Amino acid sequence: MNRKVENYIRDIFSNNRNIVENPTCYIYDLEEITNRINEIEKNKLPNVSLYYAMKANPNKEVLAHVLKHSGIAGIEIASTGELHTAQSVGLSNMNKVLFTGPGKTPVELEEAVRSNIRYINVESVVEAIRINEIASRLNIDKVNILLRININYFLDGASEYMAGMSTKMGIDQSRFEEDYKYISNLEHINICGFHVFAADGVLDHEILLKYADFVFKFVEYAQTIVGKVSVIDFGGGFGIDYTKANRKFNTKEYFKSLGKIVEKYNFEDKEIILELGKYIVGSAGYYATRIIDIKDCKGMKHIVTAGGVNHMRLPIATDRKHPVYIIHMNEPKLYNGQLSVSKEKVDIEGPLCMTEDKISWDEYIEEANIGDIVVLTQSGAYCYSASTLWFLSHELPLEIIIK
Ligand SMILES: Cc1ncc(COP(=O)(O)O)c(C=O)c1O
């Protein structure tokens, strides 16, 4: 954790009245987001468009900041709720919106069609039929879609898989020809390309390159049935490192080699879409919470913090710890026998009355005292909004932007 952020956290836990009273918050560093976007903008191929998967962090200030960058072509939404959030921060050009996700309701599809968003990423024949019916009823000639395909390729080396195995996402590649036959007969559907998001949290760029080659081979074959398509949407997947080693996904090498694969297939005229979430905002976020108590129970210490999985569910949900830092606040002791932690492994747990309420576990801590601040870095993506925020009705953690 850098000094700037450490000092900022120490300051708000000492002086910000809201944090003093409710000592648990997320902190977002907008400069880090800008650095990530600019880095991709600098290295990417001319035919690559970068979208922001706003499910990663729908905080309004974060979203508005992301949208300011010329390197961002638009957003990928997973619900019309996300669309409304984007509209509330000023996004009015619906040609900047892609809509993906299994189980879009008929009402959501109708709003997407009426809004004339750029592409609906269609996940099944049923969804295509619903869109077609809506377009027909609204006298809309064509709705532009990408067909989401669950490609027959297991992209080993990710943290979560959407495809390459049996999932609810997209159309199974083995059903592609049959389902395409049906969808292509729907009068109001215009298939512009494919959506092939397969896995999330890939740190090794070589793994994504092998997948890209496999996908291009599929598209080459699919075009013999569908005709020429103009878009291939890879979804998200660039990973961040959840250890203190802080290894980086090598965007420069990724795009350099992707360029060679594009050349091999003569796909220079196709738009390649990336809908990145974690890579853009993951490293820009910090979860910070005060140590309320320290217990010693049957030979092991437990640090109890003001917030737990109600605020920060990602580590326990994915069985992957975040880097932990302790900021020392030098609070006076409440009594002489008060416990502290010194050079030992502990669990760090929230205030919920369930044993799974751990934000970290088996964590070696050099020193920690009641009143100190526990900080989990890499907490900008899939943390606040993916937590069980109202479980036990504790106050919500504040979300603070580093100014
Ligand atoms: C359809 C789609 N696109 C993009 C993303 C963003 O993925 P990531 O955060 O790995 O970049 C996701 C994440 O689940 C997704 O479901």
Side-chain angles (χ1 to χ4, degrees):
M1 188 170 47
N2 70 45
R3 264 288 135 86
K4 174 183 90 169
V5 176
E6 184 180 330
N7 289 337
Y8 189 82
I9 293 174
R10 181 174 284 111
D11 180 53
I12 57 172
F13 273 82
S14 305
N15 300 316
N16 178 319
R17 223 187 136 68
N18 294 323
I19 301 284
V20 171
E21 285 175 10
N22 172 29
T24 166
C25 62
Y26 278 91
I27 297 132
Y28 303 125
D29 182 355
L30 301 186
E31 205 177 303
E32 172 70 9
I33 295 175
T34 293
N35 292 343
R36 291 296 172 119
I37 295 171
N38 288 350
E39 176 206 327
I40 293 181
E41 167 82 335
K42 188 172 98 197
N43 293 319
K44 78 178 184 63
L45 306 171
N47 59 330
V48 167
S49 309
L50 176 63
Y51 283 71
Y52 173 51
M54 64 172 281
K55 58 171 76 67
N57 191 328
N59 173 282
K60 287 187 181 182
E61 284 181 86
V62 168
L63 180 61
H65 179 74
V66 169
L67 286 169
K68 271 187 208 149
H69 295 81
S70 59
I72 292 288
I75 52 166
E76 184 264 337
I77 58 166
S79 68
T80 46
E82 289 190 343
L83 179 63
H84 303 156
T85 303
Q87 286 169 324
S88 77
V89 301
L91 183 79
S92 56
N93 181 352
M94 292 297 107
N95 200 36
K96 286 175 167 251
V97 178
L98 316 173
F99 187 9
T100 326
K104 303 176 194 79
T105 66
V107 168
E108 286 186 301
L109 289 172
E110 178 152 344
E111 183 170 351
V113 172
R114 279 184 190 275
S115 306
N116 196 18
I117 66 168
R118 186 169 182 215
Y119 296 123
I120 302 177
N121 292 324
V122 166
E123 310 242 357
S124 71
V125 174
V126 167
E127 201 167 277
I129 291 170
R130 287 192 176 124
I131 294 168
N132 192 59
E133 181 277 318
I134 292 164
S136 162
R137 184 160 42 80
L138 299 178
N139 278 327
I140 290 169
D141 182 27
K142 295 281 183 196
V143 177
N144 292 328
I145 67 150
L146 306 180
L147 272 188
R148 184 168 188 184
I149 308 292
N150 179 334
I151 298 281
N152 292 337
Y153 184 98
F154 185 72
L155 194 155
D156 206 0
S159 56
E160 191 183 350
Y161 296 92
M162 319 290 163
M165 56 197 276
S166 182
T167 69
K168 66 184 168 188
M169 260 65 88
I171 292 169
D172 188 7
Q173 187 181 331
S174 60
R175 295 188 57 91
F176 163 65
E177 289 188 31
E178 191 185 330
D179 286 3
Y180 170 72
K181 229 181 260 166
Y182 201 99
I183 295 172
S184 62
N185 282 322
L186 299 171
E187 196 187 331
H188 302 283
I189 298 284
N190 182 29
I191 302 172
C192 302
F194 297 104
H195 184 284
V196 293
F197 180 40
D200 150 277
V202 181
L203 254 188
D204 179 353
H205 67 283
E206 299 279 356
I207 293 174
L208 286 185
L209 288 168
K210 283 190 194 128
Y211 180 60
D213 195 298
F214 194 89
V215 165
F216 286 2
K217 218 174 285 159
F218 165 77
V219 172
E220 203 172 48
Y221 141 79
Q223 289 191 135
T224 62
I225 298 161
V226 178
K228 199 166 167 188
V229 297
S230 53
V231 179
I232 302 169
D233 183 339
F234 278 105
F238 289 21
I240 59 171
D241 191 358
Y242 286 91
T243 73
K244 285 187 177 169
N246 206 11
R247 292 161 300 156
K248 295 260 164 37
F249 183 91
N250 194 332
T251 49
K252 195 168 172 187
E253 285 305 313
Y254 171 78
F255 286 115
K256 203 164 117 193
S257 304
L258 185 66
K260 290 189 188 132
I261 309 173
V262 166
E263 226 177 274
K264 178 171 130 191
Y265 288 87
N266 289 318
F267 278 2
E268 288 88 347
D269 59 345
K270 298 199 192 308
E271 180 184 1
I272 295 173
I273 292 180
L274 295 176
E275 306 164 351
L276 300 186
K278 190 173 280 175
Y279 194 77
I280 293 177
V281 292
S283 309
Y286 302 80
Y287 176 62
T289 183
R290 194 184 281 280
I291 299 177
I292 300 297
D293 207 342
I294 294 176
K295 308 272 189 74
D296 188 355
C297 181
K298 303 191 196 313
M300 187 186 161
K301 295 241 179 89
H302 300 259
I303 287 181
V304 183
T305 49
V309 296
N310 50 334
H311 297 168
M312 182 48 158
R313 198 178 69 93
L314 190 68
I316 202 80
T318 55
D319 194 23
R320 180 194 52 218
K321 297 196 288 181
H322 287 226
V324 172
Y325 295 87
I326 305 290
I327 298 180
H328 301 294
M329 301 298 279
N330 304 317
E331 299 270 307
K333 288 205 179 228
L334 293 163
Y335 74 110
N336 278 343
Q338 181 173 312
L339 292 178
S340 58
V341 168
S342 173
K343 299 185 192 323
E344 57 198 308
K345 281 193 173 175
V346 299
D347 284 356
I348 305 177
E349 301 164 81
L352 310 182
C353 33
M354 53 192 232
T355 48
E356 315 89 86
D357 178 25
K358 297 179 197 297
I359 59 172
S360 197
W361 52 95
D362 268 339
E363 185 71 38
Y364 176 82
I365 300 288
E366 205 46 45
E367 193 200 335
N369 289 287
I370 293 174
D372 287 349
I373 312 302
V374 173
V375 181
L376 270 53
T377 61
Q378 307 291 64
S379 299
Y382 308 111
C383 288
Y384 180 91
S385 64
S387 295
T388 46
L389 291 166
W390 285 114
F391 185 51
L392 261 60
S393 300
H394 285 276
E395 286 206 50
L396 295 182
L398 288 179
E399 292 185 286
I400 296 177
I401 303 293
I402 297 185
K403 301 290 187 217

